[in-house]
Amino acid sequence: MINIMANEYMFSLSQWFTANKLRLNIDKTCFITLANHIVQNPVIVINDFKIANVDYCKYLGLYIDEDLEWTIHIDQLCGKLQKLAGIFYRIRSKLSQTCLQASYFVFVHCHLLYGAELYANTGITHLSKLITLNNKIL
């Protein structure tokens, strides 16, 4: 039932795209099944192309996983911040405290803040790695 409804919505969406002279990039299109126990192996098709069912996807810079635990997003964010930690370590003695503080807010804090309303609601066990890395940079 859900599978049929999803495909009907995708057909309507396809018609809307065509009517508005837009094109959907099938290579970037995917879906996540948040409630795996409802539908096993869903198949969603648009314009005879099967849309990939994935465990996580990137949407507006946030990595959303099927369990909404945000572990993948936090891991990606830690990867970015790890590179910045090395840079901050090397420049800490070369710049003034004011300049270092401004650099932190420009290069680190903005990444931490983006999407925090969503990913920061996860458990402290997932966030501890991010908190430790932020403290290391500070």
Side-chain angles (χ1 to χ4, degrees):
M1 179 68 178
I2 292 174
N3 213 8
I4 294 168
M5 288 175 57
N7 280 298
E8 287 174 1
Y9 284 124
M10 292 308 291
F11 179 73
S12 297
L13 186 64
S14 173
Q15 289 181 322
W16 184 87
F17 271 96
T18 303
N20 290 288
K21 297 180 180 160
L22 296 171
R23 202 174 116 210
L24 181 67
N25 188 344
I26 298 294
D27 295 331
K28 292 184 176 181
T29 304
C30 61
F31 72 96
I32 298 174
T33 309
L34 295 176
N36 283 338
H37 60 277
I38 294 175
V39 179
Q40 295 296 327
N41 300 321
V43 176
I44 298 179
V45 178
I46 188 166
N47 296 338
D48 297 327
F49 290 102
K50 183 179 175 186
I51 298 175
N53 184 6
V54 295
D55 297 333
Y56 70 92
C57 69
K58 184 178 181 182
Y59 182 70
L60 298 175
L62 296 170
Y63 288 86
I64 305 169
D65 60 281
E66 64 186 355
D67 298 323
L68 296 177
E69 290 182 348
W70 302 99
T71 53
I72 296 165
H73 180 73
I74 291 169
D75 288 344
Q76 292 290 327
L77 190 52
C78 282
K80 281 183 188 178
L81 297 184
Q82 190 67 44
K83 293 173 188 171
L84 291 170
I87 293 169
F88 272 87
Y89 181 77
R90 286 189 292 268
I91 66 170
R92 74 184 189 280
S93 61
K94 295 175 178 41
L95 297 176
S96 68
Q97 191 67 26
T98 306
C99 190
L100 284 171
Q101 186 177 17
S103 298
Y104 169 81
F105 281 105
V106 169
F107 294 109
V108 177
H109 191 70
C110 60
H111 289 294
L112 291 171
L113 219 54
Y114 183 73
E117 297 87 355
L118 299 172
Y119 78 82
N121 287 321
T122 191
I124 191 68
T125 55
H126 299 303
L127 289 173
S128 62
K129 181 168 53 169
L130 192 57
I131 293 167
T132 303
L133 187 53
N134 185 49
N135 289 341
K136 179 180 176 183
I137 293 171
L138 289 173

